[in-house]
Amino acid sequence: MTESNTTGIKPPENPYEKAPLVEVVVEVPRGSFLKRGSAGALDYVSPVPCPFNYGSVPAFTGLDGDLLDAVVLGPRLPRGARVQVRAWGAVELIDAGRRDDKLICGCVPVPPWKRRLILLFFIVYAKAKSLINLVKGNQGRNSCEGWREAASALAKASPRPNS
């Protein structure tokens, strides 16, 4: 909602009005070494702890055919926790040649310095996934394509009925 005033100066935007609200189910708590998928099966054991709570948005399927991935910033959450958070952006990742967006969620907007750290993590993550995919026999390019608006990742995902 935009207020009108006699000065002609537009009030500052409220970032909470633009950031979509999503429900995320935590699959990998912050600090965990075990990477699990949305069904709970162990994908792999990481040599370094996960710096974020990592999970999925059960209301959407991503372009890779799995549930849309999401990172939840903030304190460690237990595996299986369901949280309502704002999606402040998305990281576009290519995994084995398929687009695999990661929503970046939390309770407060993500400052630019933290965006750079998140991107750095996903650049390293994409390189590590290249090795994992090589071992698994998965072919295709792996890379981090950068930061995007959350709405663009949600628009490319498919809504899931009855989720």
Side-chain angles (χ1 to χ4, degrees):
M1 178 183 303
T2 305
E3 295 179 25
S4 61
N5 59 39
T6 58
T7 64
I9 299 172
K10 187 177 173 185
E13 286 188 12
N14 179 350
Y16 293 92
E17 289 178 359
K18 292 183 86 175
L21 186 64
V22 294
E23 181 182 62
V24 177
V25 177
V26 175
E27 299 158 4
V28 181
R30 181 177 166 184
S32 178
F33 290 87
L34 304 178
K35 167 64 171 91
R36 295 184 183 277
S38 58
L42 183 64
D43 285 345
Y44 59 86
V45 178
S46 173
V48 295
C50 187
F52 321 108
N53 297 293
Y54 191 87
S56 59
V57 180
F60 290 93
T61 301
L63 291 176
D64 63 349
D66 294 332
L67 294 179
L68 181 61
D69 293 328
V71 163
V72 179
L73 304 174
R76 180 184 171 96
L77 298 169
R79 183 170 167 256
R82 296 177 89 86
V83 294
Q84 295 278 329
V85 288
R86 296 281 176 185
W88 299 105
V91 172
E92 183 180 333
L93 202 73
I94 305 297
D95 183 0
R98 296 183 302 171
R99 185 176 171 141
D100 189 15
D101 291 331
K102 314 293 184 189
L103 286 181
I104 308 301
C105 306
C107 296
V108 296
V110 182
W113 66 268
K114 193 174 269 189
R115 285 183 187 188
R116 288 190 293 276
L117 288 176
I118 292 166
L119 280 173
L120 179 61
F121 168 80
F122 279 108
I123 289 167
V124 173
Y125 179 81
K127 292 187 184 311
K129 281 292 286 199
S130 294
L131 293 173
I132 291 167
N133 287 338
L134 183 66
V135 170
K136 288 183 171 182
N138 297 335
Q139 295 182 353
R141 181 172 73 90
N142 290 276
S143 67
C144 177
E145 301 293 299
W147 187 273
R148 305 288 185 258
E149 294 292 324
S152 74
L154 288 166
K156 290 178 180 90
S158 301
R160 294 181 65 227
N162 304 321
S163 53

